[in-house]
Amino acid sequence: MSRNRRRHQNQVPIRALSPGLLLAFIVLAGGMSWVYLKNQDVSRGKEISALEKELKTLRIQNDALRSPIATLSSRTALQKRLNDGFISMVPITAERIVQVNFSRSSGALALAGDEIVPVSNQGATR
């Protein structure tokens, strides 16, 4: 046997091993993907659990603050603060009040002078 003939022969039969290697690679990639996804699920679950606990504590704090808010915004508490001078009130003058005159007998009213008049379109149907 000559040396040249031996050089062109494969020492490892790649054609015979390639289906097995391909199958092993696919199984390995699938297993690693499964482990990665399971770890991601566990970490997301821990995050959700921590957020739910935080939400629960915030709801408890919110419920605890509702009672003081209700007492501090009651009429008697506001009147007491007004009498103490903590808050001040300014009377509303007549020039700051807008009066709207509306009569149902007229169909579509237009702006007349300085009056604010509502406009209704009773004939429009869709």
Side-chain angles (χ1 to χ4, degrees):
M1 206 187 241
S2 107
R3 277 174 97 67
N4 290 340
R5 186 174 193 180
R6 187 102 169 119
R7 192 182 318 169
H8 295 293
Q9 289 180 346
N10 291 329
Q11 297 294 327
V12 179
I14 294 188
R15 283 190 179 173
L17 292 178
S18 60
L21 290 174
L22 183 64
L23 181 63
F25 178 74
I26 290 172
V27 168
L28 179 69
M32 291 184 73
S33 298
W34 184 77
V35 169
Y36 171 75
L37 292 174
K38 279 296 179 183
N39 286 338
Q40 193 175 17
D41 285 347
V42 169
S43 65
R44 295 288 187 233
K46 288 180 181 178
E47 288 178 22
I48 289 171
S49 176
L51 289 173
E52 285 175 349
K53 287 178 184 177
E54 184 180 356
L55 180 64
K56 184 179 178 181
T57 58
L58 289 174
R59 283 187 177 159
I60 290 171
Q61 290 175 359
N62 195 17
D63 290 339
L65 291 175
R66 284 180 198 235
S67 175
I69 289 172
T71 57
L72 291 174
S73 62
S74 68
R75 181 167 173 78
T76 57
L78 291 174
Q79 188 66 40
K80 183 181 175 187
R81 287 184 169 228
L82 181 64
N83 293 339
D84 292 343
F86 186 75
I87 57 174
S88 62
M89 296 177 67
V90 178
I92 300 172
T93 60
E95 64 211 23
R96 303 264 183 196
I97 297 176
V98 176
Q99 295 180 355
V100 178
N101 298 325
F102 179 68
S103 65
R104 296 218 181 252
S105 62
S106 60
L109 300 174
L111 189 62
D114 290 335
E115 290 182 344
I116 298 175
V117 182
V119 176
S120 64
N121 190 0
Q122 295 175 355
T125 56
R126 289 187 173 186

